[in-house]
């Protein structure tokens, strides 16, 4: 009898030991499937791949697509950054991570964007999807057709936040492709992904990836993700010495081990990538607007283009109200501006008195030279220059070089006591920031006349600013620019 009783006892001990192991072993140690992908963002060259096309749970990497579509909607006039969004009970009931939104609450779209990008808030992501398409199901359909247009061939979205749902899957390759498009298609918003903290309206939020951002030199985004089914995921981008690498990891065991693996992959990418590579930006997919009709995954519906979006695309320059004395205005089209800047940049780089390091900083030539170059490109333009409004001074002579912030001034302000300014975005290159400033200045002469154009280098890009304004003129400029769907934020006086 004793011998027969030992068997149940032995099995009971085994079961007890198994249960004990389930309790003491952390959930993060239960590894989800691993995948990795590394790309040279400049050319799209694949530098490393492992299980890169295996369909896995993306977790909150999903929010990269949610935000991509929101940026597209804002750019094309579907919704504005300061539009109020009413929170549904469905959005408010999403599980953490969340902002803590309440059903019936109204909040600006810009705060939802910050909460989704920085804190990875699920309630904010759902609210964004509902604000754009009316329901999460319709938004998921738009996510899927956008993914197809971007070349994400192995991705299916079922929701806007990334919480585990049957069939909601993507790959390391596809998420890297999406990260690259975010960087090149919407550079004015990319700085969101590097903000350690952000004001989300109802509270201050902290970045879910702040450890890697603060510890890895050159890291400036993009998005983390974690669920039990997915493990610890991350798509990260970093820039060093003119190289930009994007890496994606699925299935990390913990935040620390995932960050260590991503750092290792980024190092591999920088080591394997070529020093001199022609930038081959991915093609931005055409805007298709909303879908009216069958919005199930794979369904076919009629494309609905918004009238406001079409109006914005047709003309970026408003009709001027009549004035008593006509004021001559300099007109230059987009090609002229771009060619003028390139010509001016080549003149600066050809100066034999400057060494290579200084040349790479691409110091600016006086704007008068830029405008002259524009006239050379298109000799049919014969504007009359308004006194003290178009004839501009060059950089201050004798200004010290090597300023750590590398603040580049393009225009001298003649205003007195004007301490406000506006910023029109953060851009990946000094050249892009300068070009945007010049384009906006030429199209908004009446509002920005007398302001000081500055390019300010930050760790994650170049801020394009207009300074030396009164509060009233800064507010007016932002209202006019936002009406044209151009990003604009006011800069308060410091000190």
């Amino acid at each position: 009898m004793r011998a027969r009783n030992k068997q149940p006892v032995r099995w009971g001990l085994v079961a007890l030991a198994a249960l004990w192991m389930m309790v003491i072993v952390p959930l993060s140690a239960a590894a989800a499937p691993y995948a990795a992908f590394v790309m040279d963002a400049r050319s799209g060259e694949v530098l490393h791949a492992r299980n890169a096309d295996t369909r896995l749970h993306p977790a909150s990497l999903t929010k990269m697509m949610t935000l991509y579509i929101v940026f597209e909607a804002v750019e094309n006039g579907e919704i504005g950054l300061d539009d109020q969004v009413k929170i549904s009970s469905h959005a408010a009931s999403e599980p953490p991570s969340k902002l803590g939104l309440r059903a019936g609450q109204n909040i600006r779209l810009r705060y939802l964007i910050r909460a989704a990008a920085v804190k990875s808030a699920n309630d904010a992501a759902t609210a964004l999807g509902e604000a754009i398409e009316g329901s999460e199901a319709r938004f998921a359909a738009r996510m899927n057709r956008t993914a197809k247009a971007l070349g994400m061939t192995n991705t299916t979205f079922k929701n806007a936040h990334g919480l585990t749902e049957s069939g909601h899957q993507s790959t390391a390759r596809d998420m890297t492709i999406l990260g690259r498009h975010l960087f090149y298609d919407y550079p004015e918003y990319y700085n969101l992904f590097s903000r350690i903290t952000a004001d989300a309206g109802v509270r201050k939020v902290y970045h879910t990836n702040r450890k890697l951002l603060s510890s890895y030199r050159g890291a400036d985004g993009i998005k983390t993700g974690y669920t039990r089914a997915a493990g610890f995921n991350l798509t990260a981008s970093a820039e060093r010495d003119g190289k930009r690498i994007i890496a994606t990891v699925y299935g990390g065991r913990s935040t620390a081990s995932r960050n260590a693996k991503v750092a290792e992959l980024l190092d591999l990418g920088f080591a394997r990538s070529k020093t001199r590579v022609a930038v081959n930006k991915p093609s931005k997919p055409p805007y298709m607007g909303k879908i009216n009709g069958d919005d199930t995954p794979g369904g076919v519906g009629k494309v609905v283009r918004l009238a406001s979006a079409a109006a914005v695309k047709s003309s970026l320059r408003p009709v001027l109200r009549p004035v008593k004395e006509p004021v001559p205005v300099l007109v230059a089209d987009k090609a002229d501006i771009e060619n003028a800047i390139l010509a001016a940049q080549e003149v600066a780089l050809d100066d034999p008195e400057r060494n290579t390091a200084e040349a790479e900083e691409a110091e600016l030539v006086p704007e008068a030279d830029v405008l002259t170059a524009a006239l050379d490109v298109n000799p049919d333009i014969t504007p009359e220059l308004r006194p003290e409004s178009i004839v501009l001074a060059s950089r201050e002579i004798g200004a010290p070089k090597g300023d750590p912030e590398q603040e580049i001034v393009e225009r001298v302000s003649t205003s007195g006591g004007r301490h406000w300014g506006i910023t029109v975005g953060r851009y990946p290159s000094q050249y892009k920031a300068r070009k945007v400033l010049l384009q906006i200045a030429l199209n908004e002469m009446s509002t920005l006349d007398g302001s000081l154009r500055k390019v300010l280098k930050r760790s994650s890009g170049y801020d394009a600013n207009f300074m030396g304004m009164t509060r009233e003129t800064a507010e007016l400029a932002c209202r006019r620019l936002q009406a044209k769907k151009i990003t604009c934020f006011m800069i308060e006086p410091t000190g």
Side-chain angles (χ1 to χ4, degrees):
M1 292 292 293
R2 261 181 221 170
R4 277 197 292 270
N5 287 336
K6 286 182 180 180
Q7 190 72 8
V9 172
R10 183 180 298 113
W11 283 110
L13 291 173
V14 171
L16 183 61
L19 180 61
W20 178 248
M21 288 299 293
M22 290 177 64
V23 173
I24 65 172
V25 175
L27 290 175
S28 60
Y34 172 80
F37 192 78
V38 183
M39 176 188 290
D40 186 330
R42 300 168 298 172
S43 62
E45 180 185 2
V46 178
L47 303 174
H48 172 78
R50 183 175 175 187
N51 300 326
D53 297 311
T54 301
R55 285 168 54 86
L56 300 169
H57 296 288
S60 284
L61 300 189
T62 299
K63 294 184 179 76
M64 290 196 293
M65 177 59 80
T66 299
L67 292 164
Y68 185 95
I69 293 174
V70 173
F71 300 155
E72 176 189 60
V74 171
E75 180 182 71
N76 289 281
E78 294 182 49
I79 195 168
L81 289 173
D82 288 314
D83 286 1
Q84 294 285 339
V85 176
K86 187 173 183 178
I87 304 303
S88 69
S89 57
H90 174 58
S93 66
E94 295 288 10
S97 173
K98 60 194 300 182
L99 186 59
L101 300 170
R102 303 183 310 277
Q105 175 183 358
N106 289 305
I107 186 171
R108 291 182 179 182
L109 185 86
R110 68 171 69 249
Y111 294 140
L112 295 176
I113 291 173
R114 294 174 189 175
V118 177
K119 182 176 172 58
S120 195
N122 296 322
D123 50 357
T126 298
L128 286 169
E130 292 175 341
I132 300 300
E133 286 290 340
S135 72
E136 192 170 29
R138 289 179 63 88
F139 189 74
R142 181 163 175 174
M143 294 171 78
N144 288 323
R145 57 187 174 87
T146 302
K148 183 177 180 180
L150 294 174
M152 300 169 63
T153 57
N154 288 307
T155 294
T156 304
F157 293 111
K158 294 296 185 71
N159 58 57
H161 43 66
L163 292 173
T164 304
E165 185 172 341
S166 177
H168 185 99
Q169 293 182 313
S170 186
T171 68
R173 184 191 303 273
D174 282 359
M175 282 298 165
T176 307
I177 290 172
L178 176 56
R180 185 171 183 243
H181 272 279
L182 271 171
F183 179 79
Y184 282 113
D185 294 354
Y186 297 102
E188 63 271 34
Y189 295 105
Y190 183 76
N191 70 87
L192 282 166
F193 300 102
S194 63
R195 295 186 186 181
I196 301 300
T197 63
D199 175 14
V202 298
R203 69 185 60 187
K204 184 178 182 180
V205 294
Y206 296 85
H207 205 297
T208 58
N209 195 33
R210 55 187 177 274
K211 290 185 178 180
L212 182 70
L213 289 173
S214 60
S215 63
Y216 191 87
R217 182 172 63 87
D220 55 16
I222 304 180
K223 191 74 193 69
T224 63
Y226 168 77
T227 61
R228 190 178 302 180
F232 292 81
N233 299 349
L234 174 61
T235 295
S237 178
E239 188 273 336
R240 288 182 182 177
D241 302 323
K243 298 180 179 181
R244 177 164 291 277
I245 303 298
I246 303 178
T248 297
V249 165
Y250 274 69
R253 291 174 175 266
S254 66
T255 299
S257 65
R258 175 200 65 193
N259 288 353
K261 187 62 181 178
V262 167
E264 176 186 330
L265 291 172
L266 289 172
D267 285 344
L268 178 149
F270 284 119
R272 291 186 179 179
S273 60
K274 300 172 185 176
T275 301
R276 296 184 178 275
V277 174
V279 176
N280 182 23
K281 297 180 182 180
S283 298
K284 187 175 180 179
Y287 171 66
M288 295 186 290
K290 292 176 179 287
I291 292 293
N292 181 22
D294 181 6
D295 49 40
T296 57
V300 178
K302 181 181 178 181
V303 175
V304 180
R305 295 186 181 275
L306 300 186
S308 60
V312 170
K313 283 184 171 295
S314 63
S315 175
L316 292 178
R317 189 178 293 106
V319 177
L320 297 178
R321 287 177 290 181
V323 294
K324 293 181 179 180
E325 296 182 4
V327 178
V329 177
L330 173 65
V331 179
D333 63 25
K334 183 177 179 181
D336 292 337
I337 294 171
E338 187 164 355
N339 289 333
I341 295 175
L342 286 172
Q345 201 169 32
E346 289 174 1
V347 170
L349 294 178
D350 287 339
D351 187 345
E353 306 253 337
R354 300 167 58 195
N355 59 38
T356 304
E358 290 175 328
E360 289 177 352
E361 292 298 332
E363 289 183 301
L364 302 179
V365 297
E367 187 181 9
D369 293 343
V370 175
L371 296 177
T372 302
L375 299 181
D376 291 339
V377 171
N378 190 344
D380 294 332
I381 300 176
T382 56
E384 294 182 25
L385 301 183
R386 291 181 293 168
E388 299 181 2
S389 62
I390 299 298
V391 180
L392 307 171
S394 63
R395 296 184 306 278
E396 292 183 359
I397 299 173
K401 297 182 180 180
D403 189 324
E405 290 292 345
Q406 293 191 19
E407 188 172 320
I408 300 111
V409 180
E410 287 197 61
R411 179 172 181 171
V412 174
S413 173
T414 58
S415 63
R418 299 184 179 187
H419 306 297
W420 287 76
I422 63 173
T423 182
V424 292
R426 181 168 296 173
Y427 300 92
S429 68
Q430 195 180 108
Y431 164 75
K432 177 65 175 177
R434 293 200 307 272
K435 186 173 79 168
V436 169
L437 284 173
L438 183 55
Q439 288 173 326
I440 292 176
L442 289 173
N443 286 294
E444 284 292 333
M445 287 179 180
S446 60
T447 309
L448 298 171
D449 188 26
S451 62
L452 177 73
R453 294 209 299 278
K454 295 184 179 180
V455 176
L456 187 60
K457 184 176 182 182
R458 302 293 190 187
S459 59
S460 57
Y462 295 82
D463 287 354
N465 302 334
F466 289 92
M467 302 301 295
M469 307 171 72
T470 65
R471 178 170 184 166
E472 291 74 19
T473 56
E475 288 178 345
L476 175 61
C478 266
R479 285 199 302 269
R480 289 173 63 92
L481 292 173
Q482 288 170 353
K484 299 176 185 179
K485 310 306 174 186
I486 298 173
T487 300
C488 183
F489 301 99
M490 291 176 62
I491 302 173
E492 296 183 6
T494 58

